Amino acid sequence: MRLRPSFVALLVTLATALPAHASQNPEWSFGVLGGVVHYSDRIVFPRATMENGPAIGFRLSRAIGEYWRLEGASDLASTREDLASDADDLTIGNISIALSSQLSAPNQLGMVYVLGGVGYTRYHSGRFTDRQVGTFEAGVGWRKSVNDRMSVRVEARNLLDLKHGNLASSNQANQQYWAGLTYDFDRKPKDSDGDGVNDRKDRCPGTPKGATVNAEGCPGDSDADGVYDGLDQCPDTPKGATVDAKGCPSDSDADGVLDGIDQCADTPKGATVDAKGCPGDSDADGVYDGLDQCPGTPANLKVDDKGCPIVSVERETELLDTGMIRLRDVRFESAKARILPDAYPLLDEVGVILSRWPQLRIEIGGHTDSRGSDRKNQALSEARAASVKTYLVERFPGIAAGQITTRGYGESKPVSPNRTAQDMAKNRRVEFKVMNRDVLKKEIEQRKLLQK
């Protein structure tokens, strides 16, 4: 078998021209190989041929970058010289240095490489003078890892005899076929995703760089937000919160409850919310707690956008002009002092006004129509006046009990004749009379001054 120089040149071209594949490349490797050499006819002596024979080889290589290696080789082979008249044993020694390049990235099928270099061969015979020649070497090989340190290697080399003074006629070459084991001195287990767990043990390949992994190479997510530990810049995110690519939650409405947990998105800023992010309205006036500047507003009162009751202008004007607020529509149970619920909004309006005037001393007067005896009407009016006071004091903390007195007038002060049902309804009333009108007088003068 003979390889032409053109074939050797092709191998060298492949080694330098084919794209390199970045891969794991151990820094130092040592190999022991066994093989057989096919000798070219008359490569040593013009009239002699040599039998194909066994060989042993040693390889020491060092990585150059990620995919190139510089390798020194030493081979020792033995054969017999076949002459017409006689035969003699030959010992062949070879040393060389070569540069190899990977043609494929290591995978489950192994890795293919090519090499090219120069060497020196010595033929030793007991009968003839030793011959020493230079060689040009080219080859192709395959290598596959057995474990983190050892790999199997199969290789074929062509050693071209370089004739002294006439290199153009160098057309005779020996072929070497090798197989053996290679040991990597500093080979680190392959870790494709760079998580610190070699591929053989990694049960979660493709882990994002920077993620914290366990002994099996699987990343963790302690707060279960979908962003791995090590990449999560906001650990301990509450479960259910929506996070960004960095694992940090957001609070779109700035209510203190994170998006994803917040069941009431777009809560107005400043509103007090519960654990679900929903605002409350303790006094049910339509203005959220936290925004309500007048908490505890009685039910059914109209309020402004700040949650404060809109005081009836007519009621306050009546108080300033007459020193009295007269309510004719405060209904009680028949012949009793119990206030009916439909009267609550009317009394609440008066309560808001009186809360704003804590310096006023008020008399609550109860009045009835003329039905029934004078005695019963007198007692009923007193009881109803006291019932109104109790309601206001309990309903409005700003009204002091000592601020208010009560008095029953019975049927003694009608405002209309008690002839018709309509007239009698006018007489059944509650009046809130200011006892210190000088306070009102000062307020009236101040308002007039402001108007001017």
Side-chain angles (χ1 to χ4, degrees), residues 26 28-30 143 145-151 182-189 200:
W28 286 97
S29 294
F30 176 77
R143 177 171 168 171
S145 296
V146 177
N147 54 40
D148 294 338
R149 293 284 184 179
M150 300 295 295
S151 59
T182 298
Y183 180 82
D184 299 326
F185 287 92
D186 59 346
R187 179 170 182 151
K188 295 180 181 179
R200 293 178 182 276

Side-chain angles (χ1 to χ4, degrees), residues 316-370:
E316 192 171 31
T317 301
E318 181 184 7
L319 180 68
L320 292 172
D321 290 347
T322 67
M324 175 191 299
I325 296 176
R326 178 176 291 163
L327 297 180
R328 294 190 177 90
D329 297 321
V330 178
R331 297 199 312 131
F332 300 86
E333 290 187 9
S334 179
K336 295 181 181 180
R338 183 177 179 182
I339 303 171
L340 294 177
D342 61 0
Y344 293 165
L346 292 174
L347 294 177
D348 287 343
E349 288 185 9
V350 176
V352 170
I353 294 174
L354 297 184
S355 296
R356 297 174 59 183
W357 295 75
Q359 67 272 41
L360 295 181
R361 295 197 301 275
I362 302 295
E363 178 194 270
I364 299 177
H367 299 266
T368 67
D369 58 30
S370 61

Side-chain angles (χ1 to χ4, degrees), residues 59-76:
R59 306 285 187 266
L60 180 65
S61 65
R62 190 184 192 284
I64 303 175
E66 294 181 294
Y67 43 85
W68 292 93
R69 300 192 71 80
L70 186 63
E71 182 174 75
S74 175
D75 308 328
L76 183 63

Side-chain angles (χ1 to χ4, degrees), residues 91-313:
T91 300
I92 301 99
N94 174 263
I95 58 173
S96 64
I97 186 167
L99 187 65
S100 67
S101 174
Q102 296 175 187
L103 296 184
S104 64
N107 52 46
Q108 292 182 349
L109 299 178
M111 176 268 294
V112 178
Y113 63 90
V114 294
L115 60 84
V118 295
Y120 164 83
T121 301
R122 178 176 180 268
Y123 298 88
H124 174 72
S125 171
R127 296 175 56 192
F128 301 97
T129 304
D130 292 350
R131 184 177 179 189
Q132 302 175 11
V133 297
T135 58
F136 178 79
E137 304 183 8
V140 62
W142 169 83
R143 177 171 168 171
K144 185 180 188 305
S145 296
V146 177
N147 54 40
D148 294 338
R149 293 284 184 179
M150 300 295 295
S151 59
V152 176
R153 177 174 177 175
V154 176
E155 181 181 287
R157 289 198 185 201
N158 184 70
L159 278 64
L160 178 65
D161 179 14
L162 300 177
K163 293 185 177 181
H164 297 287
N166 190 8
L167 295 179
S169 62
S170 299
N171 61 357
Q172 291 178 312
N174 299 331
Q175 283 79 46
Q176 299 178 335
Y177 305 97
W178 300 98
L181 296 175
T182 298
Y183 180 82
D184 299 326
F185 287 92
D186 59 346
R187 179 170 182 151
K188 295 180 181 179
K190 187 176 181 181
D191 181 12
S192 302
D193 54 9
D195 62 359
V197 179
N198 68 67
D199 292 350
R200 293 178 182 276
K201 299 179 181 179
D202 198 336
R203 296 182 59 184
C204 298
T207 300
K209 188 175 182 180
T212 304
V213 299
N214 59 18
E216 296 178 338
C218 293
D221 182 10
S222 302
D223 53 9
D225 62 357
V227 180
Y228 293 137
D229 298 340
L231 301 175
D232 197 336
Q233 297 185 17
C234 298
D236 302 324
T237 299
K239 187 176 182 180
T242 304
V243 299
D244 57 20
K246 297 179 179 179
C248 294
S250 57
D251 180 10
S252 302
D253 54 9
D255 61 357
V257 180
L258 302 176
D259 297 341
I261 299 175
D262 197 337
Q263 297 184 17
C264 297
D266 302 324
T267 299
K269 187 175 182 180
T272 304
V273 298
D274 58 19
K276 297 179 179 179
C278 294
D281 182 9
S282 302
D283 54 10
D285 61 358
V287 180
Y288 294 136
D289 297 340
L291 301 175
D292 196 337
Q293 297 184 16
C294 297
T297 300
N300 303 316
L301 283 186
K302 294 181 180 180
V303 298
D304 57 20
D305 58 354
K306 297 179 180 179
C308 294
I310 301 173
V311 180
S312 172
V313 176

Side-chain angles (χ1 to χ4, degrees), residues 372-384:
S373 66
D374 291 346
R375 180 180 175 184
K376 287 184 178 180
N377 287 336
Q378 179 64 34
L380 182 61
S381 65
E382 292 175 358
R384 286 180 173 177

